[in-house]
Amino acid sequence: MSSRRYRKAAAPGLLALLTAAALLAPIATTSAAERQNTPAADPATATATPALPALIQGPGEAIHPEGFTWDPTRKAFLIGSLRHGTISVVGADGIPHTLVSDPTLIATGGIRVDAARNRLLATYGDVYAGPNALLSDGSTPETRGRYGGVAIFNLTTGALEKRVELSQSPGLHLANDLALDPQGNAYATDSFTGTIFKVTPSGTASVFLKAPALDAGYQDGLPNVGVNGIVYHPSGALIVVRYDSGALFRIPLDNPSNFREISLSERIPGADGIALGSDGTLYAATNTIRSNGIDGLFKLRSSDGWRSAGIVSKTVSPEAAPTTVTLTPSGAYVLSSNVHILFGSGGAQTRDGFALRRF
């Protein structure tokens, strides 16, 4: 069986039937007392969904997902693939079922569900990790770092509706993460150029903001990863993080040039994917793939409209190289998929499996 192919997506009602486990414990049946300690669901994602186990381990044949999200319509996770460029449905059993398989995507990164418009959006591209590195099955010398954008799919069927290319300007590009506003506009980060692009619901792309403060530049001939994780804030702004420095920024939608750096009690270098809870908590998954941070999860809060923020907690991850976090009715889950192996070997080595752990 080809490594790009997985089982057909299962019926939504069959994807989350396991009992909740104690926080950070192996999958097991829990007592009533233990269930009382299950993390509170985020109200923004809460539905009548059976509780998920604290740890979901997937087999995943060298799938190396970097991005994932919660799909409330399926009551399951959606995961991408740096290696294969697929998007798969993952339930409580951890088995990926391919929803999107399009070889032109090469690699898939950040993923967002737009349930109101029955859309699934993902960044795609061919990640540049060095002059001889070929991280993905479809990587070529011509496309590495020079191909990427936002792909829009039908959420129900996985059919591609539009591919919006964002790497037409000179230089290297990395379409990395994206956020959605209530009107359905997508905002995608280009981590190699310090740019945030805006993609309208009809698929029209424009530069939303390009600023030196978001650009990490080059080191030893390789582009550093700058602006990365991004979320929409209901005050009408974006919150974005720079991977290399761990700096956070608040960018108003109506006047993006008036962005400002958020004053932090402690920066969070290595911050990759971020998520915003309905209670105002900002979650940030951090890794040490190309940073001096930690492999873990930070929680931050602000009391002044994100002019400043403080760290509520930071937890070291049992798994290496967590890349992003998503909120579910059972709490916040962090994805780890051995991408440090993939990047560290320039694609010459892969490793099966991934973990979705509740923090």
Side-chain angles (χ1 to χ4, degrees):
M1 180 174 67
S2 168
S3 63
R4 291 180 60 91
R5 300 180 185 275
Y6 299 93
R7 299 181 188 176
K8 184 178 179 182
L14 299 179
L15 291 175
L17 298 177
L18 296 181
T19 306
L23 183 63
L24 297 182
I27 298 173
T29 302
T30 60
S31 67
E34 289 172 323
R35 283 194 293 272
Q36 290 177 359
N37 294 323
T38 300
D42 185 77
T45 60
T47 60
T49 305
L52 296 164
L55 176 62
I56 299 173
Q57 292 180 304
E61 302 171 21
I63 190 171
H64 290 293
E66 193 272 344
F68 82 137
T69 194
W70 176 253
D71 179 359
T73 69
R74 290 182 170 86
K75 299 180 175 61
F77 296 98
L78 298 176
I79 65 170
S81 173
L82 285 177
R83 189 68 176 177
H84 309 314
T86 53
I87 298 176
S88 302
V89 181
V90 173
D93 60 5
I95 298 174
H97 305 269
T98 302
L99 176 66
V100 173
S101 181
D102 184 338
T104 67
L105 300 177
I106 303 183
T108 46
I111 303 173
R112 292 290 182 273
V113 167
D114 183 4
R117 299 166 186 83
N118 197 40
R119 299 188 308 162
L120 167 64
L121 295 89
T123 58
Y124 68 88
D126 190 356
V127 180
Y128 185 89
N132 300 310
L134 296 173
L135 302 187
S136 307
D137 292 338
S139 291
T140 69
E142 293 73 31
T143 55
R144 280 176 305 167
R146 304 184 186 280
Y147 172 73
V150 173
I152 304 170
F153 308 92
N154 181 286
L155 177 60
T156 302
T157 66
L160 179 67
E161 295 181 348
K162 184 162 287 192
R163 191 168 57 245
V164 184
E165 183 67 22
L166 300 176
S167 59
Q168 291 138 338
S169 61
L172 296 174
H173 297 265
L174 175 59
N176 200 330
D177 202 3
L178 75 163
L180 294 172
D181 70 18
Q183 288 71 47
N185 298 299
Y187 302 87
T189 57
D190 184 339
S191 296
F192 287 171
T193 66
T195 305
I196 300 174
F197 291 93
K198 179 179 179 179
V199 179
T200 67
S202 64
T204 301
S206 62
V207 173
F208 176 73
L209 177 65
K210 180 177 175 63
L214 307 180
D215 190 353
Y218 281 67
Q219 182 178 356
D220 300 327
L222 284 175
N224 290 316
V225 178
V227 62
N228 193 336
I230 182 170
V231 294
Y232 170 79
H233 190 277
S235 64
L238 301 173
I239 297 176
V240 300
V241 66
R242 255 182 68 163
Y243 175 86
D244 63 323
S245 67
L248 280 174
F249 300 87
R250 183 186 185 278
I251 306 171
L253 293 185
D254 59 357
N255 188 9
S257 62
N258 195 31
F259 74 95
R260 63 170 179 265
E261 183 174 349
I262 298 166
S263 177
L264 297 177
S265 58
E266 176 187 345
R267 282 188 170 185
I268 46 174
D272 203 328
I274 59 178
L276 184 67
S278 59
D279 66 349
T281 300
L282 184 72
Y283 300 77
T286 64
N287 60 60
T288 57
I289 299 171
R290 291 183 63 183
S291 84
N292 59 355
I294 66 168
D295 288 329
L297 178 72
F298 284 74
K299 297 180 184 179
L300 301 96
R301 295 294 299 270
S302 173
S303 60
D304 58 7
W306 291 96
R307 292 176 177 81
S308 65
I311 293 172
V312 176
S313 66
K314 58 181 175 181
T315 308
V316 175
S317 171
E319 288 81 31
T323 53
T324 194
V325 56
T326 194
L327 303 180
T328 79
S330 295
Y333 279 75
V334 172
L335 165 67
S336 303
S337 68
N338 303 301
V339 293
H340 61 301
I341 302 294
L342 188 66
F343 279 95
S345 66
Q349 295 180 31
T350 63
R351 184 175 293 176
D352 291 347
F354 59 90
L356 309 179
R357 183 180 288 276
R358 186 175 66 219
F359 279 78

